[in-house]
Amino acid sequence: IANIIKMWHSQETVWNLMEPPQAARHYSRVAMLRSDLLYVTPIDIYQLPDGSMAYQNQFAVIPNFGNFPVNDRMIYGPADAVQIWAAGRFRRLEKHVARVAESGDGIHPERFLHHTIFPAIRDAGIPILPGNQNLCLLRVRSDYSVRMRDCGRDCVTDHNQRAVESLIQRPCLLNTTNPNVA
């Protein structure tokens, strides 16, 4: 639980630094990315899952893999949607826990997003789309491990393994029974 709270606090702090008077400009479309991830594939925050571009800035996009029941690793889209995702958790937590306590979901990050944060984004009039399945965001742990099979199925490739090995400057085991080994 402590790590969840730390992550949420970090995301909210980053969001608050983007808000005036700290920020010199207002952002209309933004991405919020978890800091414990290795981003292997490029992310175009204007590209929608169907390949079109979000020039009207009306959709939020989340990863389309690792859904437990949704993926909490990143979001991009209209600033209003990302603000709810990044800085709207603590003020919604008490109501969320009271509402889902019997199901045992508590503050499970993905379920909290699914039951509370994403409905708040939709209530703000912003649809959420599942993103491109070719996105690869690998979780990195404090023991220096990288979860090599941690992206969309099409992204677990030898190319990505070589990219990670180049970044961390050591070999990785792609096919292992231990998902924490890199």
Side-chain angles (χ1 to χ4, degrees):
I1 291 177
N3 287 336
I4 293 169
I5 299 301
K6 287 177 188 177
M7 179 179 59
W8 291 358
H9 182 265
S10 295
Q11 291 164 340
E12 186 168 326
T13 300
V14 167
W15 181 265
N16 291 338
L17 290 171
M18 290 176 37
E19 290 287 295
Q22 294 85 357
R25 61 175 19 172
H26 172 75
Y27 299 93
S28 60
R29 188 164 184 85
V30 295
M32 183 66 69
L33 314 169
R34 279 186 19 192
S35 62
D36 65 335
L37 299 173
L38 177 61
Y39 296 87
V40 179
T41 54
I43 301 167
D44 182 339
I45 69 167
Y46 282 93
Q47 187 172 27
L48 296 175
D50 67 1
S52 66
M53 301 305 278
Y55 297 123
Q56 300 301 315
N57 198 24
Q58 59 194 32
F59 299 103
V61 179
I62 59 171
N64 191 17
F65 62 90
N67 297 316
F68 303 105
V70 296
N71 189 311
D72 74 334
R73 297 181 200 168
M74 66 169 276
I75 187 171
Y76 62 83
D80 292 343
V82 178
Q83 180 180 24
I84 294 168
W85 188 92
R89 297 181 194 209
F90 291 114
R91 71 174 177 262
R92 290 177 171 87
L93 184 57
E94 191 172 335
K95 277 186 176 178
H96 169 80
V97 171
R99 193 175 67 244
V100 301
E102 289 182 20
S103 69
D105 284 347
I107 62 169
H108 182 277
E110 291 90 348
R111 293 183 188 129
F112 181 59
L113 288 175
H114 178 71
H115 292 297
T116 300
I117 298 301
F118 288 170
I121 292 170
R122 288 183 191 102
D123 288 347
I126 304 165
I128 301 170
L129 302 176
N132 184 332
Q133 288 192 329
N134 294 325
L135 189 63
C136 188
L137 319 170
L138 302 173
R139 287 179 289 175
V140 178
R141 298 296 179 232
S142 60
D143 66 355
Y144 302 104
S145 63
V146 178
R147 296 204 173 196
M148 291 299 297
R149 295 196 171 277
D150 211 21
C151 31
R153 292 187 193 279
D154 295 340
C155 292
V156 181
T157 66
D158 290 338
H159 169 76
N160 287 342
Q161 180 179 354
R162 287 190 302 277
V164 170
E165 288 174 340
S166 174
L167 288 168
I168 64 175
Q169 307 231 335
R170 65 183 174 89
C172 295
L173 302 174
L174 183 59
N175 297 313
T176 178
T177 57
N178 182 353
N180 295 318
V181 173

